[in-house]
Amino acid sequence: MAPSFAEATAVSAVDSHTYAANFESEWCIGAVPHGGVVTSVFLRAAATHFRTTLAAQNQPHTISLHLEFLRRTQEGPATLVVRDVKLGRQTSTIHVTLSQDGREEVVGFLTQSNMDTESGLSLTTQWALHPAPPPPPASFSGLLAGADDPNWVEQTDKPSPKFRKVAHRALTFLPRKGQAMPGLLDEWLRLESGETFKNESIGFVCDFFPSVIDNLWRRKHGDKPPPPFWYPTVALNLDVKKSLPPDGVEWLFIRVRAKSIKNGRMDLEVVILDEMGEVVALSQHVNLVVGAERNLAARRNGQTKI
């Protein structure tokens, strides 16, 4: 049985500023841990740090995250070292370095606050998704039980399932009539284990969706499937707008859109909504588009880059 999401993203304290994690094979793409899993590990390390070492700050929520993926991560143990950069009354910022076998592989800045006690100006912007997605499922429990929904259907033909092992860890429901436009993806997401999405889960959610490449490739190449690509993340930004309830939520909606795919590099804009249609988080990604063989290539000199 695959480890649960909580087990796959667990961190434990080594000392006041050092945390240990372990990346599981079942949560990988090829030989590389899924970028969303790595992001959630950073969020868990920050949550643990502010619950223990920096508990006096009373800032349990990550409101902003920026990660740079310097090198490929790998299955197995990882160490996260935290540096307290700025401790403030309203927000505090830490720098975190994730290392494996002596290699610095991912670095990031995370800003913490307390969303339960935030106050200040609030205005209605009248922002909305455009084009509008299909209406939410008529019954989420019915959808899970296999009942037909007029607007949503489970994705069962996930590409390269043996290579993208992490694809089995969540259930993805896509618009029954197809996506609204090329380069755009809408989905409803639920963890396969039945675990709920909590605040630290947002790192995983913001990076779990079908490839936007597939539809665009088929439009250009006459419905011919694309070759096996890998999409390593170069940089990931996360702006958290809403704290999820302590017990979590079972379902989240994700919209992903690419604006430019050029010379083996693409951007991704991610919007995450809850069942009430409220914005939970926004994310921006910079990704490479490379052959899948790059994922499995042997490391050289202990300092392999992506």
Side-chain angles (χ1 to χ4, degrees), residues 22-206:
N22 188 68
F23 294 123
E24 303 282 355
S25 174
E26 294 88 344
W27 291 82
C28 288
I29 296 177
V32 180
H34 181 258
V37 172
V38 175
T39 303
S40 281
V41 165
F42 269 77
L43 291 171
R44 285 204 187 279
T48 303
H49 192 61
F50 277 83
R51 189 173 61 249
T52 54
T53 302
L54 297 182
Q57 294 299 117
N58 190 27
Q59 294 165 337
H61 305 121
T62 300
I63 60 171
S64 175
L65 169 149
H66 172 77
L67 297 184
E68 294 280 343
F69 291 76
L70 308 178
R71 300 177 179 89
R72 282 181 293 163
T73 51
Q74 65 186 25
E75 299 173 23
T79 301
L80 297 98
V81 177
V82 178
R83 178 168 60 90
D84 303 332
V85 177
K86 174 252 183 181
L87 303 181
R89 179 180 59 83
Q90 186 169 2
T91 65
S92 296
T93 300
I94 59 174
H95 179 270
V96 182
T97 300
L98 184 150
S99 301
Q100 291 182 294
D101 294 338
R103 300 181 305 271
E104 291 188 354
E105 294 177 333
V106 187
V107 296
F109 283 97
L110 296 90
T111 298
Q112 300 287 124
S113 187
N114 190 325
M115 285 190 271
D116 295 334
T117 61
E118 282 183 324
S119 62
L121 178 66
S122 297
L123 297 171
T124 301
T125 64
Q126 298 186 355
W127 171 87
L129 292 174
H130 181 78
S139 167
F140 284 100
S141 59
L143 196 66
L144 193 59
D148 284 342
D149 184 272
N151 297 303
W152 299 92
V153 62
E154 184 177 359
Q155 182 193 24
T156 56
D157 58 340
K158 296 180 179 180
S160 306
K162 292 183 179 179
F163 178 69
R164 304 182 187 279
K165 292 168 284 186
V166 71
H168 301 290
R169 307 284 78 82
L171 305 178
T172 303
F173 293 83
L174 305 176
R176 183 175 292 276
K177 297 179 181 179
Q179 300 294 346
M181 60 185 296
L184 178 150
L185 285 168
D186 288 335
E187 66 173 353
W188 282 97
L189 192 66
R190 180 189 186 273
L191 286 170
E192 183 273 339
S193 64
E195 295 168 276
T196 57
F197 294 119
K198 299 180 180 179
N199 290 329
E200 293 80 17
S201 313
I202 298 301
F204 175 71
V205 173
C206 82

Side-chain angles (χ1 to χ4, degrees), residues 270-281:
V270 183
V271 179
I272 302 172
L273 308 180
D274 61 17
E275 292 182 40
M276 296 176 289
E278 295 185 4
V279 178
V280 174

